[in-house]
Amino acid sequence: MQKSTAYISRPTVLINGQTDNKLSNTIQSVLVEETTEGLFRCEALFNNYGLVTQGMSEDYLYAANSALDFGTDFAISMPVNDTTFGQVFRGKISGLEAEYPFGGGALITVLAEDQLQNLRMTRRTRTFEDLSDEDVLRQIAEEHSLTPMLDVPQGPTHKILAQVNQSDLAFIRELARNIGVELWVAETTLFAQSRANRAKIHIDLAYGANLYSFSVRADLAHQCTEVHVTGWDASAKDAIDEQGDQNAIQNELASDTTQRGGSFFLQQAFGERKEYVVHTAPLTSEEAQSIAIARYRERARRFVTGTGVARGDGRIRVGCNLRLGGLGNLFDGTYYVTHVRHSYDSVHGYRTTFDVERAGIRRLSNSIS
């Protein structure tokens, strides 16, 4: 196996877009967490006791009215490699936590969330009439002074969509899940994109080199061969029954013709398994089909799931593809990143922990083609 030595590289802290050397030099640890549902968060721990200025007695470094204040624009940059840094988080400070250890000294933790915090803290009951999914996403984005950058499937115009005692964030997350798109915010732009259009960055990791550890599972327990969504079309006075099946995921399988998805192995090993989504209320066949395909893809993509720890790399973000090697013929290949934790401390330096998934593995030797 290839070998690689770890390196320690301190993060850079930015306040209101400008590097803050004092904060950067006193940082003890940091955690930045991303998911496919948006609302990225950051926890940063700083030393809060020392010489305030040269020649003065020791005191608390970050008192009232310091750079650390509620609502302050707070960002973290991490190294992409030994010499290049990239911003992995930008948001607003929403919490401050002080710690006074036994033996003296002081620590302060900064808690921050990105711009989706505004949507999380806005709860409403209302209806949207005669609007498409894209129209609703655009309206909510603009209500929060976010610029919508939307690439969503062409869908039906809904006669009515109800937001019932939900935060704006919970509501658009539910909407995004039904149409199979992922949400995130960058600066003041709200993105909603399908996975196929989002996953354009590819990063190579090799076990024994820049991939320190990896665990992976291919599991049929929650797979199915079809997902059905039913309802009632009042205008046509007819029942609705639409389905999503393995055709919905085919283009996400590798070009390697020996690769198969979970539905293939499930059908072969246990037979047909159908799932019915009963807690939705589609009013048209088009709406039901959109939900069925999205829910099937959601399951199928989690046929193979893994968790890894890699040398710190600021390029590894939710939505990128990792080409993992050194895992053997069965699990080598490309995985989609769904969850990332960038972390730094004085013991381990900078590491990136990630969760990944993919829809297929190579056909086993005793499988029927």
Side-chain angles (χ1 to χ4, degrees), residues 8-238:
I8 296 178
S9 182
R10 299 179 69 85
T12 298
V13 180
L14 297 91
I15 298 293
N16 296 321
Q18 300 297 316
T19 299
D20 189 304
N21 291 324
K22 181 181 176 181
L23 285 168
S24 298
N25 290 333
T26 57
I27 196 166
Q28 303 295 300
S29 65
V30 66
L31 171 67
V32 172
E33 187 169 28
E34 306 178 356
T35 74
T36 53
E37 292 188 319
L39 191 58
F40 301 167
R41 71 181 186 94
C42 176
E43 295 183 13
L45 176 68
F46 300 90
N47 176 45
N48 191 27
Y49 197 80
L51 292 176
V52 179
T53 59
Q54 192 67 29
M56 294 184 64
S57 60
E58 292 186 331
D59 201 348
Y60 296 110
L61 301 177
Y62 303 108
N65 302 317
S66 71
L68 303 181
D69 199 359
F70 296 115
T72 297
D73 188 290
F74 183 86
I76 294 286
S77 286
M78 291 287 207
V80 172
N81 51 46
D82 294 358
T83 59
T84 305
F85 277 66
Q87 186 171 285
V88 296
F89 175 83
R90 185 168 185 175
K92 302 286 187 181
I93 295 177
S94 58
L96 296 169
E97 179 180 326
E99 187 176 342
Y100 304 92
F102 181 80
L107 300 168
I108 189 166
T109 300
V110 172
L111 307 174
E113 296 175 316
D114 68 20
Q115 289 290 88
L116 286 179
Q117 180 206 55
N118 294 334
L119 280 74
R120 179 177 65 79
M121 298 182 72
T122 303
R123 183 176 295 274
R124 315 181 206 234
T125 295
R126 58 177 172 174
T127 58
F128 300 88
E129 297 181 14
D130 297 319
L131 296 176
S132 67
D133 300 304
E134 182 174 349
D135 294 332
V136 174
L137 286 169
R138 190 175 302 280
Q139 177 178 323
I140 293 177
E142 292 172 351
E143 287 171 351
H144 291 275
S145 300
L146 295 173
T147 301
M149 188 65 68
L150 310 178
D151 183 9
V152 303
Q154 186 70 32
T157 297
H158 302 284
K159 293 185 180 302
I160 189 167
L161 281 176
Q163 179 181 355
V164 182
N165 193 29
Q166 287 179 293
S167 69
D168 285 355
L169 180 59
F171 181 69
I172 67 169
R173 279 175 168 173
E174 182 180 330
L175 189 152
R177 186 183 180 206
N178 285 339
I179 59 177
V181 299
E182 296 174 355
L183 298 168
W184 75 100
V185 68
E187 305 292 343
T188 58
T189 300
L190 174 68
F191 291 87
Q193 291 187 358
S194 66
R195 179 169 298 189
N197 292 330
R198 185 178 186 181
K200 296 179 180 179
I201 298 175
H202 290 74
I203 300 169
D204 294 316
L205 298 178
Y207 179 53
N210 52 354
L211 178 61
Y212 296 153
S213 65
F214 188 65
S215 61
V216 61
R217 171 188 293 178
D219 192 352
L220 295 175
H222 299 288
Q223 294 297 297
C224 61
T225 53
E226 295 176 3
V227 170
H228 287 255
V229 173
T230 60
W232 178 258
D233 188 331
S235 60
K237 294 183 173 51
D238 196 12

